[in-house]
Amino acid sequence: MSINLRLLAAGARAELRERPLTKISLGLEYPTISACRISVMNSQLLDSVLLQTDFPELKLHASGKVRDVYLLDQERLLFVATDRISAFDYVLATGIPHKGRVLTQISLFWFEFLRDLVPNHLITTDGGQYPPPLQKYADQLHGRSMIVTRADMFPVECVVRGYLSGSAWKEYKTTGRVCGIELPTGLQESDRLPEPIFTPATKATTGHDENIPFAEMARLVGPDLSRQLHDISLVVYSKAAEYARQKGIIIADTKFEFGRTAQGITLADEVLTPDSSRFWPADQYGPGRAQDSFDKQYVRDYLEEIRWNKQPPVPALPADVARRTSEKYLEAYHLLTGRDLDV
Ligand code: PZK
């Protein structure tokens, strides 16, 4: 049944690829959309996708494209990963089964793996220890949430890059530098860097984060703290990237967020997930071109195929694209941890 649906949807899209897109009428922006409704998501699996959280008992502390953070009390936050997925800067209309749990479990794996290098904000994932008003949401929260220590967050993104991609590749092409760091000449897109580099960014209130030179970071948060964040970020990335590489995943770059707690400089937010990093399948790696994304490639391919103009309204995903994407997240979790998530 599901195989037939998959084939049908793939066939329908292949047909549509060949159809000229010039004669779109009746206000239909994407001829594919109607065709792909063949494979609307209706399985039990896809019913359990969580797109929105709502805990009227709690005050929302921060909300992102994928994660929501609620205030529990002065010291603690409830951190929840939904099944939302973003692509080309927009959250799509369709969720990815298990994605929130996979991302949460990947962060938890790294918190444990890195615990000797840096303290982290995790307090507990044990629902039994959640405040009584949250007990009734246990099913929703299980596996995708954690209670964390509230930190005084530093207003910089600590980005580490082991490979030349994204905004760094753009900057390098025009200036030969990234965040003021001089790089060797003649590097190609996706090249591995001679050594990982620390390329901080400011959290822009609108649009994209802005890469800043280290000196600018030092002005923002102070030179001592900047040096410490630089050192911690590089050590953490290096240990994790070396491990992931042995498991078949290249972590091309990643973004850490740190804050201050009673434990000192503390690793917060999600850590080394496919959402906060570029994960590349190691067996397909080759410099001189952009790399396929480990997790989002089917989504991007589909959105290119339907020629989405990357403006609202955001498209829904066909069930087979969502399912194959879900499988990629589960695969990333399996490769990194050697464990399977209960599905
Ligand atoms: C915190 N963000 C980023 C934005 C998210 C996360 N432990 C903490 N203490 C205080 N603040 C934060 C954290 C963490 N983690 C992180 N914003 C505040 C962010 C949007 C959604 F899930």
Side-chain angles (χ1 to χ4, degrees):
M1 173 66 166
S2 69
I3 291 169
N4 282 337
L5 280 179
R6 244 184 264 192
L7 290 174
L8 192 53
R13 289 205 309 281
E15 204 173 280
L16 284 154
R17 244 199 316 272
E18 283 139 33
R19 190 194 293 175
L21 288 173
T22 46
K23 282 199 282 183
I24 303 168
S25 56
L26 303 166
L28 286 177
E29 276 150 283
Y30 331 108
T32 5
I33 294 291
S34 54
C36 285
R37 287 278 156 76
I38 313 162
S39 52
V40 286
M41 299 220 220
N42 53 6
S43 73
Q44 223 179 357
L45 178 75
L46 300 173
D47 285 345
S48 63
V49 165
L50 182 80
L51 283 180
Q52 278 196 340
T53 63
D54 184 21
F55 306 113
E57 297 83 357
L58 302 179
K59 188 173 175 269
L60 190 67
H61 181 72
S63 161
K65 288 184 187 139
V66 173
R67 301 150 296 145
D68 296 323
V69 184
Y70 290 86
L71 198 60
L72 288 182
D73 52 46
Q74 261 333 298
E75 286 92 44
R76 301 175 313 152
L77 304 172
L78 175 70
F79 191 100
V80 188
T82 69
D83 299 319
R84 299 191 292 259
I85 186 168
S86 69
F88 302 120
D89 286 337
Y90 288 95
V91 175
L92 303 180
T94 309
I96 302 300
H98 316 301
K99 178 172 181 274
R101 280 197 302 138
V102 169
L103 264 61
T104 300
Q105 298 308 310
I106 288 177
S107 282
L108 289 170
F109 168 78
W110 290 123
F111 282 149
E112 175 63 27
F113 182 86
L114 299 165
R115 59 178 293 162
D116 295 339
L117 294 181
V118 61
N120 63 69
H121 68 162
L122 173 67
I123 296 175
T124 187
T125 57
D126 174 7
Q129 294 184 42
Y130 284 23
L134 289 177
Q135 299 295 331
K136 58 178 170 295
Y137 306 117
D139 285 355
Q140 249 189 83
L141 289 171
H142 185 74
R144 66 167 78 248
S145 68
M146 39 182 120
I147 292 182
V148 301
T149 306
R150 188 176 181 183
D152 244 326
M153 299 300 290
F154 306 128
V156 281
E157 315 267 10
C158 293
V159 178
V160 180
R161 301 169 187 274
Y163 293 74
L164 194 53
S165 179
S167 66
W169 166 240
K170 283 201 192 103
E171 231 181 287
Y172 172 79
K173 263 192 303 184
T174 49
T175 69
R177 290 184 302 276
V178 180
C179 286
I181 301 167
E182 190 94 35
L183 293 177
T185 55
L187 292 178
Q188 299 180 45
E189 181 171 19
S190 308
D191 254 336
R192 185 175 181 174
L193 297 170
E195 57 187 6
I197 57 173
F198 180 69
T199 60
T202 51
K203 307 176 199 195
T205 39
T206 57
H208 281 123
D209 296 342
E210 189 192 348
N211 291 345
I212 53 170
F214 185 81
E216 174 67 16
M217 174 173 173
R219 274 191 290 277
L220 282 171
V221 302
D224 274 15
L225 178 60
S226 296
R227 180 53 54 193
Q228 291 178 76
L229 292 174
H230 165 278
D231 292 354
I232 296 168
S233 297
L234 284 170
V235 167
V236 165
Y237 169 81
S238 298
K239 178 171 175 181
E242 185 185 322
Y243 173 87
R245 182 61 193 83
Q246 289 166 11
K247 306 292 182 181
I249 295 175
I250 291 173
I251 302 180
D253 51 39
T254 195
K255 179 186 79 182
F256 299 114
E257 297 217 25
F258 295 93
R260 191 173 301 283
T261 70
Q263 302 185 83
I265 295 175
T266 300
L267 184 55
D269 210 324
E270 61 176 336
V271 176
L272 293 154
T273 69
D275 275 13
S276 69
S277 323
R278 281 192 180 84
F279 278 24
W280 293 340
D283 59 2
Q284 288 160 50
Y285 170 73
R289 54 176 169 83
Q291 306 300 296
D292 282 355
S293 157
F294 193 99
D295 46 307
K296 288 185 180 166
Q297 200 55 45
Y298 297 129
V299 173
R300 293 188 183 143
D301 289 350
Y302 172 73
L303 295 175
E304 298 290 2
E305 198 175 295
I306 65 169
R307 303 191 204 178
W308 178 38
N309 63 359
K310 295 163 193 171
Q311 300 291 321
V314 294
L317 298 173
D320 66 318
V321 174
R323 189 179 294 105
R324 283 153 70 204
T325 301
S326 171
E327 286 165 5
K328 292 304 288 183
Y329 284 101
L330 291 166
E331 184 188 347
Y333 174 78
H334 178 79
L335 286 173
L336 287 176
T337 67
R339 297 192 292 262
D340 281 314
L341 208 66
D342 304 325
V343 295

